[in-house]
Amino acid sequence: VGWIWGTDVETVALSLVLFGDVGTSSRQNDGNRRALSASLPRAVMETTLPLPRLRSDAELVKLCVGGDSHAFRELSERYYRPICAFLFKRVQQVHLVEDLAQETFLEAFRALKEKRPPENFSSWLFGIAVNRCGKWLRRRKPALFPGNEPPDSLSTPFVSPKEELEEQQKRLASLEDGLAGLSDEQRTLLDMKHRQGKTIAEIATALGQPAGTIKSQLSRIYKLLRSRMSAEEATS
Amino acid sequence: MKPLTCAGVEEQIDLYVADECEAEQKSAIARHLAVCPNCARAAEEARELQGLLSLRLRERDNLQALRSRLEREKVRTRRPMILSLMRRTAAVAAMLLVMVGSLAYLGLWQPRPVRDEGPQVAILWQSDDAEIRRAAPNRLEIVSGQVHLEITPGTAKGSAAMIETPAGVAQAKESRLFVEVAPRTRETPGAPSAAVLVLSGEVNFLNDKGKAAVRPGQVLEAKKNAVPHAEHVDRQMNMEKVQALPASALRRDWGEVYRALKKE
């Protein structure tokens, strides 16, 4: 089963099934490619075809152990986004997620440098992420709550990691679709707000527009994306 | 301020999550979220959306940062390899040490005795007032008194036994000798003196001032502050006769000793 996540113009970043390697044979690669083509947004299809040949996780891990740092780069590009989404679900803080993701990949890199290849790279990598997350959660001060009212986090129904990841992947895919449908101006606004970390007042100054206009534009974009994600969630 | 309705909160929820609301409006929304589960859920969704957006839009920068860290890590991993090798070696050495220590403590292992291959010094006779210190198997310090020594060569040829006296050091490979050390006393003021009578073999005597070779039948006199001087005495001299003499007879001038021995 394949899952696509990629809109970079030059490359297709593929985040394939977690807990399982990408196909190891060329036939499997072709199958994945077809599945990918079917699920890619049109805008992405137009900019990224033809798809590059995919190397399986196992192949890349083998190259990493042999000292090929480009192979690890490929692996990190493949898994960066799913790992971030996985961590975000748990810690809910963007900067912390970025730190934990870096630590996760560094730990994986060190292990591969020390010639300790895993049997299944994706589950192993997510295992590292879970450990990193656990360490951080243990360092936090315990939250106090009245005994007769347990916090929401304790009453959350159990969801298996695989199911959770599949759900995350769907949400990410719908977000990506939503982004693909935005205009350039709207993308610029999001970039200034979320990548450059500017406030609405700063964006308004930079663009020479009233702050109220920027506020309403951003509000509209958020609503659009949220409604898109909710709709896709409802259909699935 | 009037309490907000769900529609009003829904309108503002994204800006609230993005921390772009006025303080008054912010607290009004927070109050509403505390009592309205539907709006609280919407706030959660908005928070998730904005978090994922930030991660998505910063992804390229973050990947670049990760690549830089990996590059640095690649350079750094070389040194820890040496360190880890050293650490492992140290761990193995420590383990061996603990094992040997434990076995020795339990009496299961005895270190092999060191085989002394150098020359050996045997004390054949010594006067009652002799003071001798053994510095090593082939090293003897005679502080005072009279001593009859036999030096046998070890399996390691070339090295000599060292007989230390306050007036200098006698070196010999294979020999028999008689040494007398007269310490500084009221009767014999000045530097302590030593006399070496060689019965067989050859002895070299040296101190800060110089050195002298002493052959069988010769007696050497030395003082700490004077050049050692060897003098022929009598080739027929033997230690049995010397031993028979009382110590008081020997601790005099070596000429008298010689004459006493001749009379015997």
Side-chain angles (χ1 to χ4, degrees):
Chain A
V1 182
W3 168 67
I4 275 289
W5 182 276
T7 55
D8 283 352
V9 178
E10 301 86 5
T11 58
V12 176
L14 294 164
S15 302
L16 296 169
V17 175
L18 317 173
F19 302 108
D21 267 5
V22 182
T24 50
S25 67
S26 60
R27 184 188 285 179
Q28 277 171 307
N29 276 340
D30 290 344
N32 282 331
R33 233 182 266 195
R34 275 198 295 280
L36 300 175
S37 308
S39 59
L40 272 173
R42 191 173 298 155
V44 179
M45 290 273 289
E46 283 164 5
T47 53
T48 57
L49 287 175
L51 287 168
R53 183 188 166 269
L54 290 177
R55 284 190 289 190
S56 72
D57 288 358
E59 278 176 325
L60 291 171
V61 165
K62 204 173 167 185
L63 290 170
C64 285
V65 172
D68 183 350
S69 54
H70 290 286
F72 190 80
R73 189 174 156 173
E74 205 171 323
L75 278 173
S76 60
E77 279 168 6
R78 184 176 290 180
Y79 282 102
Y80 189 79
R81 204 173 292 177
I83 286 286
C84 281
F86 182 80
L87 289 167
F88 184 72
K89 182 84 177 169
R90 277 154 182 77
V91 299
Q92 301 280 315
Q93 294 172 38
V94 173
H95 290 285
L96 181 63
V97 167
E98 288 167 349
D99 288 348
L100 291 175
Q102 277 222 358
E103 286 172 17
T104 302
F105 282 100
L106 275 176
E107 193 175 327
F109 179 73
R110 285 179 195 136
L112 292 180
K113 286 289 281 183
E114 288 170 14
K115 321 275 181 206
R116 289 188 278 128
E119 278 182 22
N120 186 319
F121 179 76
S122 59
S123 358
W124 176 70
L125 187 68
F126 278 86
I128 296 175
V130 167
N131 286 340
R132 286 280 162 188
C133 215
K135 272 184 196 169
W136 179 79
L137 289 169
R138 279 195 294 278
R139 275 205 302 269
R140 272 199 326 180
K141 285 181 184 170
L144 296 175
F145 59 91
N148 55 352
E149 276 181 50
D152 290 346
S153 57
L154 292 185
S155 55
T156 307
F158 173 78
V159 183
S160 79
K162 194 173 177 180
E163 282 172 26
E164 184 196 320
L165 282 166
E166 280 169 2
E167 189 194 327
Q168 275 289 346
Q169 288 160 13
K170 280 176 196 158
R171 291 181 76 73
L172 289 171
S174 62
L175 172 65
E176 197 61 31
D177 281 350
L179 283 173
L182 295 178
S183 67
D184 285 347
E185 289 77 20
Q186 288 172 321
R187 280 169 184 271
T188 308
L189 274 184
L190 283 181
D191 188 80
M192 290 174 98
K193 176 77 185 137
H194 289 279
R195 194 176 75 80
Q196 299 173 29
K198 287 188 167 143
T199 61
I200 287 180
E202 286 167 342
I203 297 170
T205 313
L207 297 178
Q209 288 179 18
T213 311
I214 303 295
K215 260 188 188 180
S216 57
Q217 278 181 348
L218 268 176
S219 230
R220 210 174 306 131
I221 297 168
Y222 289 139
K223 262 195 202 85
L224 183 77
L225 292 173
R226 269 202 297 133
S227 62
R228 186 151 202 160
M229 283 171 84
S230 306
E232 290 209 12
E233 204 173 308
T235 43
S236 66
Chain B
M1 193 180 174
K2 259 175 72 177
L4 287 166
T5 60
C6 288
V9 170
E10 171 68 21
E11 200 61 37
Q12 297 290 323
I13 197 75
D14 291 302
L15 295 175
Y16 167 79
V17 168
D19 202 18
E20 293 285 359
C21 283
E22 303 297 328
E24 204 177 327
Q25 202 173 21
K26 197 174 163 181
S27 57
I29 294 173
R31 278 198 299 276
H32 181 89
L33 292 180
V35 293
C36 178
N38 284 340
C39 289
R41 202 172 305 122
E44 275 308 305
E45 281 175 15
R47 205 165 281 133
E48 189 189 359
L49 169 74
Q50 291 188 27
L52 292 176
L53 267 176
S54 294
L55 287 168
R56 168 69 187 86
L57 295 171
R58 289 148 62 106
E59 187 184 86
R60 189 176 286 192
D61 300 339
N62 289 333
L63 273 171
Q64 189 55 49
L66 176 64
R67 271 176 225 137
S68 310
R69 273 192 81 173
L70 290 175
E71 281 301 315
R72 285 202 299 275
E73 187 71 19
K74 217 163 64 179
V75 176
R76 204 181 298 164
T77 43
R78 283 177 200 152
R79 211 167 56 189
M81 267 177 73
I82 298 167
L83 281 177
S84 75
L85 189 71
M86 282 169 67
R87 233 178 274 143
R88 279 178 200 172
T89 313
V92 169
M95 247 169 60
L96 280 172
L97 203 66
V98 168
M99 271 172 60
V100 167
S102 310
L103 288 172
Y105 179 74
L106 295 170
L108 299 173
W109 182 78
Q110 293 283 330
R112 208 168 61 178
V114 179
R115 206 169 139 208
D116 185 18
E117 294 179 333
Q120 302 288 307
V121 181
I123 301 170
L124 301 177
W125 174 85
Q126 66 184 80
S127 62
D128 295 338
D129 59 343
E131 189 182 343
I132 303 166
R133 292 182 195 143
R134 291 163 200 265
N138 60 346
R139 200 176 186 92
L140 209 67
E141 186 184 350
I142 300 171
V143 182
S144 63
Q146 298 149 7
V147 187
H148 181 195
L149 300 169
E150 183 172 17
I151 296 161
T152 49
T155 50
K157 307 283 178 194
S159 56
M162 314 283 272
I163 313 300
E164 293 176 16
T165 71
V169 179
Q171 293 178 333
K173 286 178 186 170
E174 184 176 10
S175 54
R176 282 181 73 198
L177 58 154
F178 182 86
V179 180
E180 184 191 45
V181 173
R184 191 189 312 180
T185 58
R186 279 183 190 170
E187 292 79 30
T188 56
S193 65
V196 179
L197 194 62
V198 177
L199 301 166
S200 67
E202 188 174 312
V203 176
N204 288 313
F205 193 93
L206 57 146
N207 64 14
D208 292 345
K209 299 290 173 187
K211 67 175 185 177
V214 197
R215 293 189 174 77
Q218 283 188 321
V219 67
L220 173 132
E221 284 184 301
K223 281 192 176 175
K224 195 178 179 183
N225 301 324
V227 180
H229 171 67
E231 182 188 348
H232 176 76
V233 181
D234 184 0
R235 281 185 184 280
Q236 299 304 312
M237 185 184 289
N238 63 64
M239 285 315 297
E240 284 72 26
K241 287 180 182 173
V242 175
Q243 283 176 36
L245 288 171
S248 56
L250 289 172
R251 187 160 297 153
R252 277 179 288 168
D253 181 65
W254 273 101
E256 283 181 37
V257 174
Y258 171 72
R259 279 193 291 279
L261 288 168
K262 286 293 275 181
K263 279 177 193 167
E264 286 293 317

